[in-house]
């Protein structure tokens, strides 16, 4: 029998391998993958470009005024990879810089930014069949998601992954800086007043510090099958 589509929430700290597992699940199940962090990064990039976001300040008034003018979409390129667009411009590369990551962490503390992006994310999940990764997917965006995963790994392991990724891209990062960036973002993501990062009560937690990608995906698929089998019975 064909399973009814569900929504899957994948939350956790930064550089925890959320997107790898979320993309893997989407591929295996024929679901749509949505990277909610990319949306916060786009808002940050736009604000940085306009000068509304500087090292020391955020021009909330301007950002608020223009936030609805930012059309954020995802398109698949010729290699089958998903890329992020801002008003028809491919911004995939630019939103992956440390500057954009830090900016995203800062703009994501603003309630009006979260409110607008959550609204768009909920629309994207209306028809179900979505795997979305982020920080507040299981708690705020899809509190009714049938399957919620919460990934963790030690800061050192996450910084190492991020460092290797940057190296592979041809950057020349300093490990201590990458680590302190990870720790800084953890602190901000977990302590902000507006929907801080936390595990939903009904989320299944996995510490993947020492687990490979294949094994994680297998675990997630097992959880999916368990849940959908239960749903069929009820
Ligand atoms: O997952 P990421 O590193 O691309 O996310 C960038 C920033 O956006 C991160 O510091 C926290 C924020 N974010 C958020 O607050 N809520 C989400 N659902 C996703 C990301």
């Amino acid at each position: 029998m064909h399973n009814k589509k569900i929504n899957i929430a994948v939350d956790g700290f930064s550089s925890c391998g959320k997107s790898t597992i979320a993309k893997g699940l989407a591929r295996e199940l024929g679901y749509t993958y949505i990277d909610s962090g990319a949306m916060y990064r786009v808002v940050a990039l736009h604000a940085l470009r306009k000068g509304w976001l500087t090292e020391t300040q955020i021009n909330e008034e301007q950002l608020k005024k223009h936030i609805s003018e930012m059309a954020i979409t995802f398109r698949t390129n010729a290699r089958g990879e998903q890329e992020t667009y801002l008003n028809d411009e491919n911004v995939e590369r630019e939103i992956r810089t440390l500057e954009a990551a830090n900016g995203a962490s800062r703009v994501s503390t603003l309630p009006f930014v979260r409110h607008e992006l959550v609204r768009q994310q909920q629309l994207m999940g209306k028809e179900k069949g979505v795997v979305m990764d982020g920080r507040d997917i299981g708690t705020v965006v899809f509190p009714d998601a049938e399957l919620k995963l919460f990934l963790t790994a030690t800061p050192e392991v996450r910084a190492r992954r991020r460092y290797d990724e940057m190296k592979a891209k041809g950057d020349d990062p300093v490990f201590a800086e990458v680590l302190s960036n990870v720790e800084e973002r953890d602190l901000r993501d977990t302590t902000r007043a507006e929907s801080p990062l936390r595990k939903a009560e009904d989320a299944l937690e996995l510490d993947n510090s020492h687990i490979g990608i294949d094994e994680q995906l297998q675990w997630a698929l097992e959880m999916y099958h368990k849940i959908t089998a239960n749903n069929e019975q009820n």
Side-chain angles (χ1 to χ4, degrees):
M1 196 203 288
H2 193 70
N3 275 334
K4 234 170 70 187
K5 288 196 166 182
I6 64 169
N7 278 336
I8 303 177
V10 182
D11 289 301
F13 293 94
S14 62
S15 307
C16 229
K18 296 186 297 290
S19 71
T20 308
I21 211 168
K23 280 179 197 164
L25 274 172
R27 190 184 58 238
E28 295 294 322
L29 303 174
Y31 278 22
T32 304
Y33 164 65
I34 295 168
D35 175 356
S36 71
M39 300 170 76
Y40 289 93
R41 286 168 182 261
V42 169
V43 172
L45 176 69
H46 190 68
L48 283 164
R49 283 175 170 177
K50 294 281 184 191
W52 303 332
L53 180 61
T54 65
E55 294 247 322
T56 50
Q57 280 187 25
I58 306 181
N59 187 334
E60 287 187 40
E61 199 190 321
Q62 285 298 316
L63 190 54
K64 197 171 196 167
K65 202 164 137 197
H66 295 283
I67 191 154
S68 58
E69 294 164 12
M70 287 178 231
I72 306 169
T73 52
F74 298 101
R75 298 179 201 174
T76 307
N77 70 17
R79 289 186 302 279
E81 300 152 351
Q82 196 164 294
E83 293 180 324
T84 313
Y85 282 72
L86 165 60
N87 297 332
D88 287 326
E89 177 195 354
N90 184 341
V91 292
E92 185 58 35
R93 248 195 104 75
E94 261 184 281
I95 62 165
R96 300 299 165 191
T97 62
L98 265 187
E99 195 188 15
N102 287 334
S105 176
R106 287 169 63 209
V107 296
S108 72
T109 62
L110 301 171
F112 68 87
V113 171
R114 301 206 70 83
H115 191 262
E116 173 57 22
L117 295 190
V118 167
R119 187 187 67 78
Q120 294 186 20
Q121 289 152 6
Q122 287 174 336
L123 269 180
M124 293 172 182
K126 236 176 69 184
E127 309 296 330
K128 304 257 179 168
V130 160
V131 187
M132 192 177 289
D133 68 1
R135 306 293 188 288
D136 60 340
I137 312 306
T139 51
V140 177
V141 180
F142 301 143
D144 297 330
E146 292 82 349
L147 178 59
K148 300 179 183 178
L149 307 179
F150 191 83
L151 303 186
T152 63
T154 64
E156 288 74 19
V157 165
R158 290 184 283 126
R160 174 60 58 190
R161 288 177 187 160
R162 185 93 200 98
Y163 175 88
D164 291 343
E165 250 173 49
M166 292 163 91
K167 273 263 182 204
K169 270 191 207 156
D171 295 343
D172 191 19
V174 176
F175 182 76
E177 275 175 25
V178 179
L179 178 60
S180 74
N181 183 262
V182 162
E183 288 171 337
E184 195 184 308
R185 287 171 66 202
D186 282 0
L187 185 69
R188 203 181 288 126
D189 290 350
T190 50
T191 57
R192 66 172 176 238
E194 184 80 13
S195 22
L197 168 65
R198 63 176 180 83
K199 177 179 164 296
E201 262 172 35
D202 50 349
L204 307 167
E205 184 168 342
L206 180 72
D207 181 337
N208 66 14
S209 299
H210 307 290
I211 306 180
I213 290 164
D214 290 346
E215 221 178 312
Q216 287 178 58
L217 184 57
Q218 211 155 6
W219 172 80
L221 283 168
E222 255 169 51
M223 297 303 122
Y224 164 83
H225 288 302
K226 220 178 191 168
I227 279 182
T228 48
N230 280 342
N231 284 352
E232 297 263 309
Q233 276 165 16
N234 294 336

